[in-house]
Amino acid sequence: EVHLLESGGGLVQPGGSLRLSCAASGFTFSNYAVIWVRQAPGKGLEWVSGISNTGGSTSYADSVKGRFTISRDSSKNTLYLQMSSLRAEDTAVYYCAKLREGYFSSTIDYWGQGTLVTVSS
Amino acid sequence: DIVMTQSPDSLAVSLGERATINCKSSQSVLYGFNNKNYLAWYQQKPGQPPKLLIYWASARESGVPDRFSGSGSGTDFTLTISSLQADDVAVYYCQQYYTTPHAFGQGTKVAIK
């Protein structure tokens, strides 16, 4: 059974940094692209960043480009999101999600339960 | 970037009646090489992550009831719930995965009338 477990969320001050992790199990992690999607309180879904199966290709939403860095460690079956220069508008539940293929042009087939990031002084 | 726009923002339908949600993309998500539309639909219930319902615009995910169907091509797509059940109360999102960023629509909230 596919399982994605996010961690690392919490309260951080504006301008601060945080690193999210997503531990994957139940599938061969190195075969699939994985992404981060966020959802601000009471709002819709926003695609944040993605990384291909090999890690050789990454992509970012304009809203986070230059501030967030996505990476993966296939030896640990873990996805990361390093977030810096955080703003109030980054406050959201951050979901880790698996794509159906190793590349970006494929649908999301599994989601984690999410971790809440709150940016506030 | 591709922008996805859903309509309506919300709708209320009687149990057993049809619910229809529309999704429009700012540019075509049909890839001519394989003739596939890179469009998915998700269902999200309160306090839960989204769940995949439809991919390739019309392919139903395994385990999804057949009252859910997707149609459309190019820039205009529709999710239809043929006979609304109480368990279908949720927010529904379309998403294009043709090119990054894989934008979502703003969501459509479905309620029981």
Side-chain angles (χ1 to χ4, degrees), chain B residues 29-101:
Chain B
V29 298
L30 173 63
Y31 188 33
F33 185 77
N34 58 12
N35 202 38
K36 287 186 173 182
N37 287 282
Y38 286 60
L39 190 285
W41 289 96
Y42 301 90
Q43 175 194 65
Q44 187 179 32
K45 297 180 179 179
Q48 297 183 19
K51 170 189 171 184
L52 176 65
L53 297 176
I54 303 287
Y55 59 99
W56 298 134
S58 60
R60 194 180 305 112
E61 176 69 344
S62 176
V64 173
D66 61 8
R67 63 180 180 274
F68 291 93
S69 64
S71 62
S73 185
T75 61
D76 292 281
F77 301 91
T78 299
L79 175 71
T80 301
I81 309 173
S82 60
S83 176
L84 191 75
Q85 306 299 304
D87 189 51
D88 301 334
V89 169
V91 179
Y92 294 83
Y93 295 93
C94 62
Q95 184 209 23
Q96 65 82 15
Y97 48 100
Y98 183 85
T99 183
T100 58

Side-chain angles (χ1 to χ4, degrees), chain A residues 35 37 39 43-47 59-62 95 99-100 104-114, chain B residues 1 38 40 42 44 47-52 55-56 61 93 95 97-106:
Chain A
I35 67 171
V37 174
Q39 186 168 37
K43 303 297 184 182
L45 302 169
E46 180 186 14
W47 187 95
S59 185
Y60 299 91
D62 285 346
Y95 293 103
L99 300 192
R100 182 151 281 173
F104 290 142
S105 293
S106 58
T107 191
I108 299 167
D109 57 0
Y110 290 95
W111 299 71
Q113 292 297 311
Chain B
D1 294 356
Y38 286 60
Y42 301 90
Q44 187 179 32
Q48 297 183 19
K51 170 189 171 184
L52 176 65
Y55 59 99
W56 298 134
E61 176 69 344
Y93 295 93
Q95 184 209 23
Y97 48 100
Y98 183 85
T99 183
T100 58
H102 293 170
F104 293 89
Q106 80 275 19

Side-chain angles (χ1 to χ4, degrees), chain A residues 10-16 86-91 117-121:
Chain A
L11 176 64
V12 60
Q13 292 189 339
L86 283 162
R87 307 165 181 167
E89 53 265 36
D90 295 318
T91 294
V117 172
T118 303
V119 183
S120 175
S121 54

Side-chain angles (χ1 to χ4, degrees), chain A residues 8 11-20 67 82-86:
Chain A
L11 176 64
V12 60
Q13 292 189 339
S17 299
L18 209 57
R19 189 178 84 157
L20 305 183
R67 300 188 299 122
Q82 179 68 48
M83 305 185 294
S84 61
S85 302
L86 283 162

Side-chain angles (χ1 to χ4, degrees), chain A residues 68-80:
Chain A
F68 290 11
T69 302
I70 192 171
S71 61
R72 63 191 297 162
D73 185 339
S74 290
S75 68
K76 296 181 178 179
N77 288 348
T78 302
L79 171 70
Y80 302 100

